[in-house]
Amino acid sequence: MSQLSIAWCRDTLLPQEEPPEGQGGIVHWLRSRLFNSLWSSLLTLIVLMLFTALANAVFPWLANSVWQADSLGECRSILDGQPGACWGVIRERWPQLVFGFYPQAAYWRPLMAFGLLFVALGPILFQRVPSKLARFSVVYPGLAFWLIWGGSLWLGVLAYVGLALALLAFTLSRRLGMGLALVIAMMVAGAWWLRGLGPVAEMLEQVVAMRLVPVSSRDLGGFLLSFVVGVSGIAMSLPLGILLALGRRSSLPLIRLMSVTFIEFVRGVPLITLLFTGSLLLNYFLPPGTSFDLILRVIIMVTIFSTAYMAEVIRGGLAALPQGQTEAAQALGLDYWKAQRLVIMPQALKICIPMIVSTFIGLFKDTTLVVFIGLLDPIALSTAIRASTEWQGIYWELFLFIGSVFFVFCYGMSRYSIHLERRLKTDHH
């Protein structure tokens, strides 16, 4: 009986061929995407008409822009009755919009702090950046504070000494229990910052003086103020939100009740109310003569507000994980904190990436609310510019410039979240 050789699958690939006629090119794309039905064609035509009308109204205004003008009157005389944008206000007032009333001779300090921010974020956001730079990421907050506000460098250095003492106290007292060790660590750090930091800094300053000219918080404004409040709130709300989410899911009734009460209370109060509380009411609860910087109070309130929302976002990611992940971590012999750090939290954060970035974007845009408590954010400065005699009556140019800067940074965060989702995607269908 002869054996037949039957090929069950092809061992060579067919050569690539051109698509059938009418199934490729721009005409097919337009027909399949924009004109594939009556309603789709109608909506496409309506949108095209709207875009055409918008372009006809905006393009001549932008094309006839004036940059070399020192006042709105001079700009209008150059335009001679023709419609056109007067960008001279941006050319003349951009330092005020960016830095507020920060001393002009010290512009290099916030610019250096802004540039070093990307160096500090490199090892956190990107895999290809050397991990050794993570040490600089730890040092950066104190360095940025010193660059922007000035004063003695020893204050920032000794603040890190307080963190080191807290870590040492936590390590030595960990056998007493995680909660008690955290309380001891916070007490040690607080005692150092309140009692030891100031005298030791003055003594070291007399030995080796390392100072920059101090800049008052009232001089900070514009986008510099928005970046300081926004970046500080973003950096602190994520770890605090993780702890609060774990507290809400804790098996200890007291910790769970405190976490739930904090989250629900803060989420039920508008941010502007917290800002007024930080700027007006907080001083009543402090000892007489205590000076508490207004921007620091705003950062604390913005962080508290964002932390409550971040905790709910992360709790949703934790709830989305199957119970088998926790059981698998327990089967490996991992304790609670190792299981959260190595197994549970990485997966939960990956699930929550879109909502985490959305919360960050909302927080960054909400920094403009500080205008209601007297801080000079870009919106407040634009109002002051429009009230001046040179630029009284100008509107669109200032708001378009401010909106464009916010859009660039918010869009950048959005694109990075998409990149991070693709990089961490491990499921293939």
Side-chain angles (χ1 to χ4, degrees):
M1 186 174 181
S2 60
Q3 295 181 352
L4 298 178
S5 60
I6 302 176
W8 293 98
C9 61
R10 182 180 294 276
D11 56 359
T12 58
L13 293 177
L14 291 174
Q16 187 174 1
E17 298 181 359
E18 296 292 332
E21 185 177 355
Q23 298 298 316
I26 185 65
V27 175
H28 172 71
W29 186 88
L30 291 174
R31 186 181 302 168
S32 61
R33 301 292 180 89
L34 302 179
F35 299 95
N36 56 357
S37 66
L38 177 62
W39 287 108
S40 177
S41 302
L42 183 61
L43 288 175
T44 300
L45 292 176
I46 293 175
V47 171
L48 287 176
M49 293 172 61
L50 291 176
F51 272 108
T52 302
L54 182 64
N56 289 335
V58 174
F59 183 75
W61 184 73
L62 293 175
N64 198 24
S65 299
V66 175
W67 290 89
Q68 301 298 326
D70 296 329
S71 65
L72 183 60
E74 181 180 350
C75 188
R76 287 175 175 172
S77 64
I78 295 174
L79 291 173
D80 195 21
Q82 297 295 322
C86 185
W87 298 108
V89 62
I90 306 300
R91 180 189 61 81
E92 185 191 14
R93 297 298 182 97
W94 73 265
Q96 187 176 355
L97 290 171
V98 175
F99 299 103
F101 296 101
Y102 204 87
Q104 186 174 0
Y107 280 173
W108 64 273
R109 288 160 51 178
L111 289 176
M112 178 177 289
F114 182 72
L116 293 176
L117 172 64
F118 294 96
V119 179
L121 291 176
I124 300 174
L125 301 182
F126 302 101
Q127 286 182 318
R128 297 182 180 180
V129 178
S131 58
K132 293 182 179 179
L133 279 177
R135 300 173 184 175
F136 177 76
S137 303
V138 177
V139 177
Y140 173 76
L143 179 61
F145 178 86
W146 179 61
L147 286 173
I148 294 175
W149 274 275
S152 175
L153 178 61
W154 291 113
L155 290 174
V157 174
L158 294 177
Y160 280 100
V161 172
L163 294 177
L165 292 175
L167 180 60
L168 179 61
F170 176 79
T171 304
L172 295 177
S173 60
R174 191 170 181 179
R175 295 179 180 179
L176 302 176
M178 186 68 66
L180 185 57
L182 286 174
V183 173
I184 294 174
M186 288 188 292
M187 291 177 61
V188 170
W192 169 258
W193 288 332
L194 293 175
R195 298 296 181 182
L197 189 147
V200 176
E202 292 179 1
M203 181 181 64
L204 292 175
E205 185 67 23
Q206 293 176 0
V207 178
V208 180
M210 292 188 294
R211 295 182 61 86
L212 288 175
V213 178
V215 177
S216 174
S217 291
R218 71 171 69 93
D219 294 330
L220 270 67
F223 287 106
L224 174 59
L225 177 62
S226 296
F227 289 145
V228 168
V229 175
V231 173
S232 301
I234 288 172
M236 291 189 292
S237 63
L238 181 58
L240 293 177
I242 292 174
L243 293 177
L244 203 58
L246 294 177
R248 181 157 188 169
R249 293 169 56 90
S250 174
S251 59
L252 300 176
L254 180 60
I255 294 179
R256 184 171 64 251
L257 177 62
M258 292 174 60
S259 301
V260 171
T261 303
F262 177 87
I263 292 172
E264 297 302 331
F265 174 77
V266 174
R267 292 177 69 220
V269 176
L271 176 58
I272 188 63
T273 304
L274 294 178
L275 293 178
F276 276 116
T277 301
S279 63
L280 300 176
L281 301 181
L282 193 60
N283 283 336
Y284 291 104
F285 300 96
L286 296 175
T290 302
S291 178
F292 200 14
D293 189 84
L294 178 58
I295 293 181
L296 180 58
R297 283 180 274 166
V298 169
I299 290 174
I300 292 174
M301 290 301 171
V302 168
T303 302
I304 289 174
F305 182 80
S306 181
T307 297
Y309 283 88
M310 189 63 62
E312 285 298 282
V313 169
I314 295 172
R315 187 176 71 91
L318 293 171
L321 286 180
Q323 184 63 27
Q325 296 296 320
T326 303
E327 296 172 354
Q330 294 173 349
L332 291 174
L334 301 177
D335 60 17
Y336 177 80
W337 292 106
K338 286 186 178 180
Q340 294 294 334
R341 180 170 59 89
L342 300 175
V343 179
I344 306 301
M345 198 54 64
Q347 300 182 70
L349 292 178
K350 186 180 73 170
I351 296 173
C352 298
I353 286 174
M355 285 304 300
I356 289 174
V357 176
S358 178
T359 304
F360 286 165
I361 291 174
L363 171 63
F364 182 60
K365 293 187 295 184
D366 285 343
T367 56
T368 56
L369 292 176
V370 299
V371 64
F372 293 107
I373 58 174
L375 292 179
L376 299 177
D377 76 311
I379 303 298
L381 289 175
S382 69
T383 303
I385 292 172
R386 289 188 293 111
S388 63
T389 56
E390 295 86 358
W391 301 106
Q392 189 174 10
I394 197 165
Y395 293 96
W396 288 106
E397 292 83 351
L398 289 169
F399 292 136
L400 285 175
F401 174 74
I402 295 171
S404 299
V405 174
F406 273 103
F407 173 79
V408 168
F409 286 95
C410 294
Y411 182 73
M413 287 190 281
S414 176
R415 296 305 302 178
Y416 174 77
S417 71
I418 297 174
H419 161 75
L420 190 60
E421 287 183 73
R422 292 174 179 172
R423 193 183 78 186
L424 298 179
K425 187 175 182 180
T426 56
D427 53 328
H428 301 282
H429 300 287

